[in-house]
Short mmCIF file of all heavy atoms in Angstrom, two decimals:
data_model
loop_
_atom_site.label_atom_id
_atom_site.label_comp_id
_atom_site.label_asym_id
_atom_site.label_seq_id
_atom_site.Cartn_x
_atom_site.Cartn_y
_atom_site.Cartn_z
N MET G 85 72.28 105.75 109.54
CA MET G 85 72.09 105.06 110.80
C MET G 85 72.30 106.02 111.97
O MET G 85 71.53 106.01 112.93
CB MET G 85 73.06 103.88 110.89
CG MET G 85 72.73 102.90 111.99
SD MET G 85 73.88 101.49 112.02
CE MET G 85 73.55 100.74 110.44
N LYS G 86 73.33 106.87 111.86
CA LYS G 86 73.61 107.84 112.92
C LYS G 86 72.43 108.79 113.08
O LYS G 86 71.97 109.05 114.19
CB LYS G 86 74.88 108.63 112.58
CG LYS G 86 75.21 109.73 113.59
CD LYS G 86 76.34 110.60 113.12
CE LYS G 86 75.75 111.66 112.23
NZ LYS G 86 76.64 112.74 111.89
N GLU G 87 71.91 109.30 111.94
CA GLU G 87 70.78 110.22 111.99
C GLU G 87 69.54 109.53 112.58
O GLU G 87 68.81 110.13 113.36
CB GLU G 87 70.49 110.76 110.59
CG GLU G 87 71.57 111.71 110.10
CD GLU G 87 71.41 112.08 108.63
OE1 GLU G 87 70.43 111.62 107.99
OE2 GLU G 87 72.27 112.82 108.12
N LYS G 88 69.34 108.26 112.23
CA LYS G 88 68.18 107.52 112.77
C LYS G 88 68.33 107.33 114.27
O LYS G 88 67.37 107.50 115.03
CB LYS G 88 68.05 106.17 112.06
CG LYS G 88 66.82 105.39 112.49
CD LYS G 88 66.76 104.06 111.80
CE LYS G 88 65.52 103.29 112.13
NZ LYS G 88 65.26 103.08 113.52
N ILE G 89 69.56 106.97 114.70
CA ILE G 89 69.79 106.77 116.14
C ILE G 89 69.55 108.08 116.89
O ILE G 89 68.92 108.09 117.95
CB ILE G 89 71.22 106.23 116.38
CG1 ILE G 89 71.30 104.77 115.90
CG2 ILE G 89 71.61 106.32 117.84
CD1 ILE G 89 72.72 104.21 115.89
N ILE G 90 70.06 109.18 116.32
CA ILE G 90 69.86 110.49 116.98
C ILE G 90 68.38 110.83 117.03
O ILE G 90 67.87 111.28 118.06
CB ILE G 90 70.67 111.58 116.24
CG1 ILE G 90 72.16 111.37 116.50
CG2 ILE G 90 70.25 112.97 116.69
CD1 ILE G 90 73.06 112.27 115.67
N ALA G 91 67.67 110.61 115.92
CA ALA G 91 66.24 110.91 115.88
C ALA G 91 65.48 110.04 116.89
O ALA G 91 64.60 110.52 117.61
CB ALA G 91 65.69 110.69 114.47
N ASP G 92 65.84 108.74 116.94
CA ASP G 92 65.19 107.84 117.90
C ASP G 92 65.47 108.28 119.33
O ASP G 92 64.57 108.26 120.18
CB ASP G 92 65.67 106.40 117.70
CG ASP G 92 65.14 105.78 116.41
OD1 ASP G 92 64.22 106.37 115.79
OD2 ASP G 92 65.66 104.71 116.01
N ALA G 93 66.73 108.68 119.59
CA ALA G 93 67.08 109.12 120.94
C ALA G 93 66.32 110.39 121.32
O ALA G 93 65.83 110.51 122.44
CB ALA G 93 68.59 109.36 121.04
N LYS G 94 66.19 111.31 120.36
CA LYS G 94 65.44 112.55 120.63
C LYS G 94 63.98 112.22 120.92
O LYS G 94 63.38 112.76 121.84
CB LYS G 94 65.53 113.50 119.43
CG LYS G 94 66.83 114.24 119.34
CD LYS G 94 66.83 115.19 118.15
CE LYS G 94 68.15 115.91 118.01
NZ LYS G 94 68.16 116.79 116.83
N GLU G 95 63.42 111.33 120.09
CA GLU G 95 62.02 110.95 120.26
C GLU G 95 61.81 110.28 121.62
O GLU G 95 60.86 110.59 122.34
CB GLU G 95 61.61 110.02 119.13
CG GLU G 95 60.14 109.63 119.16
CD GLU G 95 59.77 108.73 117.99
OE1 GLU G 95 60.35 108.90 116.91
OE2 GLU G 95 58.90 107.87 118.19
N GLU G 96 62.72 109.36 121.97
CA GLU G 96 62.60 108.67 123.26
C GLU G 96 62.75 109.66 124.41
O GLU G 96 62.01 109.58 125.40
CB GLU G 96 63.66 107.58 123.36
CG GLU G 96 63.50 106.72 124.60
CD GLU G 96 64.49 105.57 124.63
OE1 GLU G 96 64.97 105.15 123.56
OE2 GLU G 96 64.76 105.09 125.74
N ALA G 97 63.70 110.59 124.28
CA ALA G 97 63.90 111.59 125.33
C ALA G 97 62.65 112.47 125.46
O ALA G 97 62.23 112.81 126.58
CB ALA G 97 65.12 112.45 125.01
N GLN G 98 62.06 112.81 124.33
CA GLN G 98 60.85 113.63 124.38
C GLN G 98 59.71 112.85 125.05
O GLN G 98 58.96 113.40 125.86
CB GLN G 98 60.45 114.06 122.97
CG GLN G 98 59.51 115.23 122.96
CD GLN G 98 59.59 116.00 121.65
OE1 GLN G 98 60.15 115.53 120.69
NE2 GLN G 98 59.02 117.18 121.63
N GLU G 99 59.59 111.56 124.71
CA GLU G 99 58.56 110.73 125.33
C GLU G 99 58.80 110.64 126.84
O GLU G 99 57.85 110.76 127.63
CB GLU G 99 58.54 109.34 124.71
CG GLU G 99 57.97 109.29 123.31
CD GLU G 99 58.06 107.90 122.69
OE1 GLU G 99 58.43 106.94 123.40
OE2 GLU G 99 57.75 107.78 121.49
N GLN G 100 60.05 110.40 127.23
CA GLN G 100 60.38 110.31 128.66
C GLN G 100 60.08 111.64 129.35
O GLN G 100 59.53 111.66 130.46
CB GLN G 100 61.86 109.94 128.85
CG GLN G 100 62.21 108.54 128.43
CD GLN G 100 61.56 107.49 129.31
OE1 GLN G 100 61.30 107.72 130.48
NE2 GLN G 100 61.26 106.34 128.74
N GLY G 101 60.45 112.75 128.68
CA GLY G 101 60.16 114.07 129.25
C GLY G 101 58.66 114.28 129.42
O GLY G 101 58.21 114.79 130.46
N SER G 102 57.90 113.87 128.41
CA SER G 102 56.44 114.01 128.50
C SER G 102 55.89 113.17 129.64
O SER G 102 55.00 113.61 130.39
CB SER G 102 55.79 113.58 127.18
OG SER G 102 56.19 114.43 126.14
N LYS G 103 56.42 111.94 129.81
CA LYS G 103 55.96 111.09 130.91
C LYS G 103 56.29 111.72 132.25
O LYS G 103 55.45 111.72 133.18
CB LYS G 103 56.63 109.70 130.82
CG LYS G 103 56.06 108.82 129.73
CD LYS G 103 56.77 107.47 129.72
CE LYS G 103 56.28 106.60 128.58
NZ LYS G 103 56.99 105.32 128.53
N ILE G 104 57.52 112.25 132.36
CA ILE G 104 57.92 112.87 133.63
C ILE G 104 57.05 114.08 133.93
O ILE G 104 56.61 114.28 135.07
CB ILE G 104 59.43 113.25 133.58
CG1 ILE G 104 60.26 111.98 133.59
CG2 ILE G 104 59.81 114.16 134.74
CD1 ILE G 104 61.74 112.21 133.32
N ILE G 105 56.77 114.89 132.90
CA ILE G 105 55.91 116.06 133.09
C ILE G 105 54.52 115.63 133.51
O ILE G 105 53.92 116.21 134.42
CB ILE G 105 55.88 116.93 131.81
CG1 ILE G 105 57.24 117.61 131.62
CG2 ILE G 105 54.77 117.96 131.87
CD1 ILE G 105 57.40 118.33 130.30
N ALA G 106 53.99 114.58 132.85
CA ALA G 106 52.65 114.09 133.20
C ALA G 106 52.64 113.57 134.64
O ALA G 106 51.68 113.83 135.39
CB ALA G 106 52.23 112.98 132.22
N GLN G 107 53.69 112.85 135.04
CA GLN G 107 53.76 112.35 136.41
C GLN G 107 53.85 113.51 137.41
O GLN G 107 53.21 113.48 138.46
CB GLN G 107 54.97 111.42 136.58
CG GLN G 107 54.82 110.09 135.87
CD GLN G 107 56.10 109.27 135.90
OE1 GLN G 107 57.15 109.75 136.29
NE2 GLN G 107 56.00 108.01 135.47
N ALA G 108 54.63 114.53 137.04
CA ALA G 108 54.76 115.69 137.92
C ALA G 108 53.42 116.40 138.06
O ALA G 108 53.02 116.82 139.16
CB ALA G 108 55.83 116.64 137.39
N LYS G 109 52.71 116.55 136.93
CA LYS G 109 51.39 117.20 136.98
C LYS G 109 50.43 116.39 137.86
O LYS G 109 49.67 116.96 138.64
CB LYS G 109 50.81 117.35 135.57
CG LYS G 109 51.45 118.47 134.78
CD LYS G 109 50.80 118.60 133.41
CE LYS G 109 51.43 119.73 132.61
NZ LYS G 109 50.84 119.87 131.28
N ALA G 110 50.49 115.05 137.70
CA ALA G 110 49.61 114.20 138.50
C ALA G 110 49.97 114.32 139.98
O ALA G 110 49.08 114.40 140.85
CB ALA G 110 49.73 112.74 138.05
N ALA G 111 51.27 114.36 140.28
CA ALA G 111 51.71 114.51 141.68
C ALA G 111 51.26 115.86 142.23
O ALA G 111 50.78 115.96 143.37
CB ALA G 111 53.23 114.37 141.78
N ILE G 112 51.40 116.91 141.42
CA ILE G 112 50.97 118.25 141.86
C ILE G 112 49.47 118.26 142.09
O ILE G 112 48.99 118.82 143.09
CB ILE G 112 51.38 119.31 140.81
CG1 ILE G 112 52.89 119.50 140.83
CG2 ILE G 112 50.68 120.63 141.07
CD1 ILE G 112 53.43 120.35 139.68
N GLU G 113 48.73 117.62 141.20
CA GLU G 113 47.26 117.56 141.35
C GLU G 113 46.89 116.81 142.63
O GLU G 113 45.99 117.22 143.37
CB GLU G 113 46.65 116.89 140.12
CG GLU G 113 45.15 116.96 140.04
CD GLU G 113 44.60 118.38 139.94
OE1 GLU G 113 45.24 119.24 139.32
OE2 GLU G 113 43.51 118.63 140.50
N GLY G 114 47.60 115.70 142.89
CA GLY G 114 47.35 114.93 144.12
C GLY G 114 47.66 115.76 145.36
O GLY G 114 46.89 115.75 146.34
#
Side-chain angles (χ1 to χ4, degrees):
M85 194 178 297
K86 176 188 85 169
E87 290 170 2
K88 184 181 183 306
I89 289 171
I90 290 172
D92 289 347
K94 282 181 182 178
E95 184 178 326
E96 186 175 336
Q98 198 156 13
E99 287 176 8
Q100 291 294 331
S102 296
K103 285 180 184 178
I104 290 171
I105 290 172
Q107 289 173 350
K109 284 182 179 179
I112 290 170
E113 189 63 34

